[in-house]
Amino acid sequence: MALSLGLNRWDWRTPQRFAVSVARAEALGLDYAFLPVNPLAVPDPYVLMAAGAAATTTLRFGPLLETPVLRPPAVAAGSIATVAEASGGRVLFTYGV
């Protein structure tokens, strides 16, 4: 089993800055880009993940832990499905409380 590496420290001030940040991480060999789910602190993580997917070819994306407290299941499913479509399936979805 190969070791996969990911980070959750990105420039998420804008989708464009996030895309540049994760493209750099992909060039350094990282495998995952995770984002915290906190609608009060950062832009929508799914918009950022879609922007990052457009700027990369191998990096996989996902929320650190999506929760029904902040995003109802149907909304979360639609959001991650959109990122999955934009990224060609390069997502890892975590959902719980």
Side-chain angles (χ1 to χ4, degrees):
M1 180 176 185
L3 178 66
S4 296
L5 299 174
L7 287 177
N8 68 339
R9 300 289 185 249
W10 312 106
D11 184 346
W12 47 52
R13 289 177 284 177
T14 68
Q16 295 80 11
R17 286 177 180 262
F18 179 77
V20 168
S21 184
V22 296
R24 188 173 332 136
E26 181 181 63
L28 292 172
L30 270 73
D31 301 298
Y32 289 95
F34 297 109
L35 285 163
V37 177
N38 183 344
L40 301 176
V42 298
D44 187 285
Y46 297 94
V47 170
L48 295 176
M49 286 187 264
T56 60
T57 59
T58 61
L59 201 66
R60 290 168 276 187
F61 297 88
L64 284 174
L65 178 63
E66 184 63 82
T67 173
V69 173
L70 296 175
R71 193 179 304 262
V75 175
S79 296
I80 199 65
T82 299
V83 176
E85 180 68 28
S87 69
R90 295 180 286 131
V91 296
L92 175 65
F93 188 63
T94 57
Y95 197 75
V97 210

